[in-house]
Amino acid sequence: MIKVEWLYWLVGLVFVVMAVQMAADRSNPKRWTSAAFWGLLGLAFPYGTGVANATAKNGGWTLPAEPLGVAVLALIVLAGFNFLGKGTPVTSTTEEREASATRLGSRIFIPALTIPLVAIVCASVLDTSGLFETGKATLLGLGVGCLVGLVVGMLVTGERKLSVPLHSGRSMLEAMGSALLLPQLLAVLGSIFALAGVGTQVGKIVHDVLPDNSKYLAVIAYCVGMFLFTVIMGNAFAAFPVMTAAIGWPVLIQQMHGNPPAVLAIGMLAGFSGTLCTPMAANFNIVPATLLELKDQYGPIKVQIPTALPLLVCSTVTMAVFAF
């Protein structure tokens, strides 16, 4: 049985390998601190397995959580004080890339399309095969899809050296920087808000403001709340526990007997419309602008707003009509 922890270890190994590359890149003025950041992150993956085993009492090796907490604080310091730098990417010339693009044409998209195709096959066909850890077929399918996509990409381009995609990945990692971790940090922030009772307090405010049994106003409050909290926090997964504890579960589902899958799924969609409108969702909106070297770093957001607002309206209307 393939366990999801193995995928996490592989991700950690990739970060460690790229950290070694950064340490050896003398063109990066911050090579040692950059290597320390990504190396600590990579080592946190296998170490986290030991912490999880100790917390859940799963057996296997167990490790104390305190060093992992120190590592997280070190990552925050390295990123917060701008200790991450960029080296000179090991890549082909502009002329070589243009010639390769002309030669490959639309075939260049085959590796990217391979990833979701393999993930879908693993999630739908191999989920009950016993090959994957129970309940983890989708995530493991994504990991397998990435590995297959890497192989397909090397075959399509005719590349034979594994170091080439590793160097390219390292260059992209340096371009994205610490923004790569923002979704995970914001999701954790949402969990902290939920444990702190923020959702309960928001629910009390909403209960005092909304008229009793006003289904449509409650739907609007939930969807717009998901939108606004996502804009503020940058991640719908961070907004979800807060707004669901405040309105989604106690009001729309328990009090007004809404269909739970419909209410919660459409509520997430309303939150995703907020993702399109916020620079806090850096990995979606700011990082692409950096990678594409756009003149306006907020260009993606400006283009996406005309889609996001109608999506919010459609989500609200859909929930009001079909979720009850």
Side-chain angles (χ1 to χ4, degrees):
M1 178 185 295
I2 301 176
K3 297 182 179 180
V4 71
E5 289 296 325
W6 299 354
L7 175 60
Y8 295 150
W9 299 346
L10 178 60
V11 173
L13 176 62
V14 171
F15 282 134
V16 171
V17 170
M18 292 183 177
V20 173
Q21 291 180 334
M22 293 175 192
D25 185 2
R26 296 182 180 276
S27 66
N28 184 352
K30 301 176 181 178
R31 60 182 179 133
W32 294 114
T33 48
S34 296
F37 180 90
W38 296 109
L40 280 173
L41 179 62
L43 293 174
F45 281 82
Y47 192 93
T49 299
V51 175
N53 289 339
T55 303
K57 299 180 180 180
N58 290 330
W61 83 82
T62 59
L63 296 169
E66 289 78 8
L68 188 59
V70 172
V72 172
L73 294 176
L75 293 177
I76 294 172
V77 171
L78 290 170
F81 286 91
N82 195 28
F83 285 126
L84 302 186
K86 299 179 183 179
T88 302
V90 180
T91 183
S92 55
T93 64
T94 302
E95 293 75 15
E96 290 174 336
R97 291 196 294 273
E98 290 178 350
S100 179
T102 302
R103 176 177 60 86
L104 294 173
S106 298
R107 288 183 295 161
I108 194 64
F109 295 105
I110 295 177
L113 296 174
T114 300
I115 298 174
L117 178 62
V118 173
I120 290 173
V121 171
C122 291
S124 58
V125 178
L126 301 178
D127 189 17
T128 58
S129 65
L131 180 63
F132 296 131
E133 181 179 349
T134 303
K136 304 296 184 181
T138 301
L139 181 57
L140 286 168
L142 177 61
V144 173
C146 290
L147 293 175
V148 174
L150 172 61
V151 174
V152 172
M154 295 180 70
L155 292 175
V156 169
T157 59
E159 182 56 59
R160 295 294 180 266
K161 295 181 179 180
L162 184 60
S163 60
V164 172
L166 283 174
H167 278 294
S168 298
R170 190 253 299 183
S171 298
M172 184 172 293
L173 199 65
E174 290 179 334
M176 290 187 290
S178 59
L180 180 70
L181 304 183
L182 190 58
Q184 291 86 348
L185 294 175
L186 292 174
V188 172
L189 179 62
S191 300
I192 293 174
F193 277 9
L195 292 173
V198 175
T200 302
Q201 297 303 316
V202 173
K204 291 179 180 179
I205 296 173
V206 172
H207 182 269
D208 294 337
V209 173
L210 288 179
D212 292 337
N213 299 319
S214 179
K215 178 179 71 175
Y216 296 117
L217 288 179
V219 168
I220 293 173
Y222 182 48
C223 292
V224 174
M226 279 293 300
F227 174 86
L228 293 177
F229 264 78
T230 301
V231 168
I232 294 171
M233 303 177 73
N235 192 311
F237 290 98
F240 183 76
V242 175
M243 293 308 302
T244 299
I247 305 174
W249 187 261
V251 178
L252 296 179
I253 296 175
Q254 291 187 322
Q255 180 179 333
M256 299 182 178
H257 308 291
N259 179 267
V263 170
L264 301 181
I266 298 172
M268 281 295 293
L269 184 60
F272 292 150
S273 63
T275 303
L276 301 174
C277 302
T278 175
M280 288 296 291
N283 57 320
F284 289 104
N285 301 326
I286 302 301
V287 169
T290 301
L291 294 177
L292 296 174
E293 299 180 351
L294 301 181
K295 295 181 179 179
D296 184 359
Q297 65 171 335
Y298 301 114
I301 296 176
K302 295 176 182 177
V303 173
Q304 291 165 175
I305 287 177
T307 299
L309 297 182
L311 178 61
L312 173 62
V313 173
C314 291
S315 301
T316 306
V317 173
T318 301
M319 183 182 295
V321 174
F322 296 105
F324 299 90

